[in-house]
Amino acid sequence: MKQTETNHLDKVHAIFDILNGKKEADLLMKNLNILDVHGETVYHGSLLIYDKRIVALNPDESIIRVKEVFDGKGLYAIPGLIDAHLHFESQLAHPTALAEAMVPCGTTTIYAECLDLLSAAGEDGVQAAKDLFKDYDQLPYRLYAFAPGKKTAASVTKAVLDMEPVIGLGEFEHFTYSSGDEDDFHKAAWVRDKGGFINGHWGVTALSDMLLNYLPAIGVSNNHDVWNVDDIEKSIRYGFATQIKFGVGSSEVIKTLLRAIVDRKFPTDNFMLCTDNISIERLLKMGHMDWIISLCAEMGINPIKAIKMASYNTAKSFHMEDQIGSLTPGRFADIVLTDSLSKINPLYVFKDGELIAKDKKLLKNADIDYSGMCTKGITGLDDLTPEQLDIVPLEISADGAQAKVYVFDVYGRGHAKFYQEIWVPLKDGKIMPEYEGEQLSRLSVVQRYANGKRHVINGLFKGVSIDRGAVATFWPAPTPYFVIVGQESEEMCYCVKEVDKYSGACIVTENKTNKSVMPLEIYGVMANMTVDELTSSVAAIDAALEEMGNHNEGEPVVNKLLSLFISLHRFRFME
């Protein structure tokens, strides 16, 4: 974090004087049931806070002098919650908007990737990082960030490694590090030289056992790329602090992972909790680390151990347990008060000893203007024709009655294949979008800027089902692509060309008329909106699609579609 001149002699004197009643402390939080993450016990007591940190447990109230007293009324006091791995862009909100939705859930620290934003910025990646991190110390949460391990030029990574609050290198691309990419060698060498951390992106589903040795051998200290019990067993055997993620995707994935921890009796000290990718709507409706701790308890993990997975374990993994992750002297006064340990209910949230959220409402936020990061779109689809979006069979059956096509599943990552090749009816030379009695929508994946022949993949789609009209969105990293869902090529072509007018957007159309538009103007990956504006815009997309026959469950459609790009890249459907 930002370094300031400190007179440590004055600090030491001040703490000594406070504990001897000669100087005022800032805050006494009394009548608490305090969670001791070290002994895994709860005790009744009080916390004394001075200069953003806890300076005493159960101080002698007949001696101390204090500016303010807070009565905890017997609530449980737990450490501020920590997200061990979050992609800044996944929730589409800039840092202050993210605070509105996240901090009231009890999250006071995040370890954040920014690779998609900086990749989208291209040659402006270094400036984008400076703009993203400006005044980060004013945010109502503690931010630690990682320079891009993939999707950006090595020169951008090197420059960002020197910035605050960057503490290391973000996740590698397993397609490149497994092939001996020279840029990856340089990135790893630079962060090793600085003594920083390296985030893992292990690719256990794609790499040989021999190659799995590479990341821990060069110093990667954590891994969030686990999907089942075998992945977990390998990850902890190779020495990784393993991050259990619960972001965008099927809820069955997180339950599978938690069930594996319980059934196999893996020591919970091996694990941290993270979102990886999450929507603002999910934060507002379900919660953040508070919700996943509660799910851990519901799945059979001891509640105190679950809380440690979202606090102390993460702090220890990043060698910051002397700063955050426990309610002990010398640590920052990041404190959450809840009326239950098994079902976290963050009634009060303190950061640095200051009350910043109460009853799920943020009380204090930074005032940071991100409008300078907004960009204008450069069109690339002027020559796109509807015919390019027609599905061409991969194969036709001998009797001419069936066609083999791709089908993509928005919830296919990690627990079932993201894509499959299936046989569907072929009538009068036209593909019928029907499979196993289900009427499916069509999906087109379209390269934005063609160099010669434009790359287009067409198939069927599970996850958004509309009877008419179309919806399209865009993602620029690592290469600019659109996805369009619809039923007719003409409408789909119109819809995607409307998105092409923006640096980034999600747009719903019907009869070649725009029904709902959600701009993503910050390099095409973030909305320059407040949380209320963002949620209203997302809801408008879902409402417009509902009129066209879609009955959405779980994540909003815009987040479902954006999550596709992760899998499209992973399974090599983007050039």
Side-chain angles (χ1 to χ4, degrees):
M1 310 307 279
K2 286 187 177 178
Q3 300 299 310
T4 57
E5 291 294 328
T6 301
N7 186 324
H8 288 289
L9 182 60
D10 288 347
K11 292 281 188 182
V12 171
H13 274 298
I15 293 170
F16 183 84
D17 289 343
I18 285 168
L19 297 181
N20 284 279
K22 297 178 181 179
K23 183 179 175 66
E24 279 189 326
D26 296 321
L27 175 67
L28 174 66
M29 298 180 66
K30 60 188 297 184
N31 192 17
L32 302 170
N33 282 303
I34 303 169
L35 174 60
D36 169 15
V37 298
H38 302 285
E40 297 187 353
T41 60
V42 175
Y43 65 95
H44 190 79
S46 57
L47 301 170
L48 189 64
I49 296 162
Y50 169 72
D51 192 26
K52 303 182 179 181
R53 295 179 185 256
I54 299 168
V55 293
L57 307 178
N58 291 337
D60 185 342
E61 293 184 30
S62 68
I63 296 176
I64 61 169
R65 298 162 52 198
V66 64
K67 296 175 183 177
E68 183 182 354
V69 176
F70 181 92
D71 185 354
K73 298 179 181 179
L75 293 170
Y76 292 101
I78 65 175
L81 304 179
I82 304 173
D83 189 334
H85 183 83
L86 169 69
H87 288 261
F88 248 133
E89 310 85 352
S90 62
Q91 72 292 321
L92 310 179
H94 56 54
T96 57
L98 174 61
E100 291 182 67
M102 178 181 72
V103 174
C105 299
T107 303
T108 56
T109 299
I110 64 172
Y111 291 86
E113 297 265 2
C114 56
L115 56 94
D116 287 305
L117 178 84
L118 304 194
S119 175
E123 61 185 20
D124 295 327
V126 174
Q127 185 59 50
K130 292 177 180 177
D131 293 339
L132 180 69
F133 298 143
K134 69 179 180 182
D135 299 323
Y136 74 90
D137 56 330
Q138 296 179 22
L139 293 167
Y141 53 90
R142 214 170 294 284
L143 169 62
Y144 299 100
F146 297 86
K150 61 184 180 184
K151 298 187 180 181
T152 64
S155 58
V156 172
T157 297
K158 188 174 186 180
V160 175
L161 278 169
D162 289 331
M163 297 182 187
E164 292 183 337
V166 176
I167 61 169
L169 181 67
E171 58 192 43
F172 278 125
E173 173 62 77
H174 57 259
F175 294 115
T176 59
Y177 74 67
S178 61
S179 61
D181 182 78
E182 190 64 26
D183 277 359
D184 287 353
F185 292 151
H186 281 288
K187 291 173 184 177
W190 292 331
V191 75
R192 283 164 60 100
D193 185 57
K194 291 177 175 293
F197 298 94
I198 306 178
N199 276 349
H201 195 255
W202 207 20
V204 293
T205 56
L207 300 181
S208 68
D209 283 351
M210 198 61 191
L211 273 174
L212 292 179
N213 292 286
Y214 175 63
L215 291 188
I218 66 170
V220 173
S221 61
N222 61 69
N223 173 42
H224 69 278
D225 199 19
V226 291
W227 297 96
N228 52 51
V229 63
D230 292 334
D231 291 348
I232 290 175
E233 184 174 47
K234 275 188 176 181
S235 185
I236 62 177
R237 179 169 294 165
Y238 280 71
F240 284 122
T242 301
Q243 299 165 346
I244 304 299
K245 57 186 174 183
F246 65 100
V248 172
S250 171
S251 59
E252 285 306 308
V253 174
I254 178 61
K255 290 181 180 179
T256 296
L257 297 177
L258 296 179
R259 192 176 296 116
I261 292 172
V262 173
D263 291 348
R264 292 291 298 274
K265 295 182 173 59
F266 290 124
T268 56
D269 288 350
N270 291 303
F271 302 109
M272 304 174 276
L273 299 177
C274 74
T275 52
D276 197 13
N277 303 284
I278 194 168
S279 68
I280 288 294
E281 285 68 30
R282 190 163 176 176
L283 287 172
L284 293 173
K285 291 177 183 178
M286 297 179 64
H288 191 208
M289 312 311 294
D290 54 336
W291 176 80
I292 191 61
I293 291 170
S294 303
L295 180 61
C296 287
E298 183 182 321
M299 296 292 292
I301 295 175
N302 178 288
I304 292 178
K305 291 185 182 296
I307 292 168
K308 288 179 67 174
M309 288 164 66
S311 57
Y312 180 73
N313 291 6
T314 306
K316 189 174 182 180
S317 172
F318 288 107
H319 304 172
M320 296 181 187
E321 70 271 26
D322 61 335
Q323 304 289 317
I324 55 176
S326 67
L327 302 182
T328 46
R331 279 66 174 178
F332 285 109
D334 300 346
I335 304 162
V336 176
L337 302 187
T338 172
D339 54 10
S340 170
L341 294 183
S342 59
K343 188 171 179 59
I344 303 300
N345 179 26
L347 298 170
Y348 299 89
V349 183
F350 293 79
K351 175 182 175 285
D352 293 333
E354 181 179 4
L355 183 63
I356 54 172
K358 178 181 177 181
D359 297 329
K360 302 306 282 282
K361 296 292 183 183
L362 188 65
L363 303 178
K364 180 182 178 181
N365 202 354
D367 183 14
I368 305 173
D369 182 7
Y370 296 99
S371 60
M373 300 178 73
C374 293
T375 55
K376 295 187 180 298
I378 301 174
T379 59
L381 298 184
D382 294 342
D383 62 345
L384 184 71
T385 65
E387 291 73 22
Q388 289 175 274
L389 306 185
D390 291 341
I391 302 177
V392 176
L394 301 172
E395 186 180 340
I396 296 176
S397 62
D399 61 4
Q402 289 187 309
K404 182 184 285 186
V405 299
Y406 287 124
V407 62
F408 298 91
D409 184 352
V410 72
Y411 286 142
R413 281 198 311 131
H415 62 99
K417 244 189 169 181
F418 166 65
Y419 73 98
Q420 300 175 61
E421 296 180 5
I422 61 171
W423 290 97
V424 297
L426 186 67
K427 296 181 181 178
D428 300 324
K430 185 178 180 181
I431 289 170
M432 298 290 101
E434 304 166 6
Y435 183 64
E436 296 181 341
E438 182 181 2
Q439 187 79 14
L440 301 178
S441 297
R442 287 169 46 191
L443 176 76
S444 290
V445 181
V446 180
Q447 185 182 32
R448 186 169 196 174
Y449 304 111
N451 183 12
K453 184 179 179 181
R454 187 181 306 278
H455 184 228
V456 179
I457 300 288
N458 300 311
L460 301 179
F461 185 51
K462 293 181 178 181
V464 176
S465 178
I466 53 178
D467 301 329
R468 60 190 188 277
V471 58
T473 193
F474 168 74
W475 196 251
T479 54
Y481 270 80
F482 299 90
V483 294
I484 318 103
V485 178
Q487 292 290 352
E488 299 293 336
S489 296
E490 285 275 357
E491 186 73 33
M492 293 169 70
C493 187
Y494 171 82
C495 185
V496 73
K497 285 189 174 183
E498 288 299 293
V499 178
D500 192 37
K501 297 175 181 178
Y502 294 80
S503 59
C506 183
I507 297 179
V508 179
T509 66
E510 184 180 11
N511 296 325
K512 297 185 179 180
T513 300
N514 292 359
K515 305 290 289 185
S516 184
V517 178
M518 178 183 176
L520 299 172
E521 298 171 297
I522 298 180
Y523 293 108
V525 300
M526 283 182 181
N528 189 31
M529 304 178 187
T530 66
V531 161
D532 287 343
E533 292 168 340
L534 181 59
T535 53
S536 294
S537 188
V538 167
I541 295 287
D542 281 356
L545 289 169
E546 188 171 355
E547 292 179 4
M548 299 175 191
N550 186 56
H551 302 289
N552 193 47
E553 296 180 359
E555 295 285 353
V557 168
V558 61
N559 294 93
K560 285 183 176 179
L561 295 181
L562 290 170
S563 71
L564 288 177
F565 291 99
I566 301 170
S567 299
L568 289 167
H569 173 61
R570 182 171 192 152
F571 291 105
R572 315 313 276 170
F573 282 100
M574 296 160 64
E575 291 184 343

